C-alpha cells in the first residue's frame, strides 16, 4: 500500500484577542461561535501543559478566519447582557 500526503486546507487566520487564561479564551470562543463565527484557541493545549509559557508571550490567542475578523471584534466588543 502506498499513501500520499493528506491535503488540508487551512484558511488564513487572524488573532482577534489575547486572553490571560484558557478559561477566558474558551468563553470568548464560545461567544464567537454562538454568533456563527468559527473560532480556534491554538494555545489551548500548550497553556494547560506548560502554563509558564503564557507569561513568555501575549497569553492565550483566540483566532478566526481573516474574513471574519472585523465581525468577531464587533461581537467581542458588545457589552454583556444583564
Amino acid at each position: 500500500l502506498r499513501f500520499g500526503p493528506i491535503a488540508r486546507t487551512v484558511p488564513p487566520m487572524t488573532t482577534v484577542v489575547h486572553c490571560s487564561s484558557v478559561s477566558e479564551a474558551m468563553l470568548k470562543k464560545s461567544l464567537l461561535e454562538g454568533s456563527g463565527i468559527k473560532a480556534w484557541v491554538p494555545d489551548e493545549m500548550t497553556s494547560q501543559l506548560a502554563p509558564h509559557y503564557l507569561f513568555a508571550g501575549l497569553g492565550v490567542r483566540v483566532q478566526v478566519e481573516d474574513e471574519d475578523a472585523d465581525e468577531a471584534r464587533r461581537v467581542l466588543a458588545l457589552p454583556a447582557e444583564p
Side-chain angles (χ1 to χ4, degrees):
L1 291 174
R2 199 162 188 199
F3 296 98
I6 297 173
R8 292 186 183 185
T9 304
V10 178
M13 305 297 284
T14 297
T15 299
V16 291
V17 66
H18 292 89
C19 302
S20 59
S21 70
V22 174
S23 300
E24 179 187 1
M26 297 307 285
L27 175 64
K28 292 184 189 260
K29 176 186 177 205
S30 180
L31 289 170
L32 291 169
E33 290 181 341
S35 296
I37 300 170
K38 288 185 182 179
W40 292 265
V41 179
D43 304 317
E44 179 182 6
M45 294 301 167
T46 301
S47 62
Q48 290 178 3
L49 296 173
H52 53 280
Y53 282 120
L54 287 177
F55 302 107
L58 298 172
V60 184
R61 298 170 293 163
V62 178
Q63 295 185 329
V64 298
E65 293 181 16
D66 284 353
E67 63 190 35
D68 295 328
D70 291 335
E71 181 62 21
R73 288 186 182 104
R74 280 192 283 278
V75 168
L76 294 174
L78 291 175
E81 292 184 26

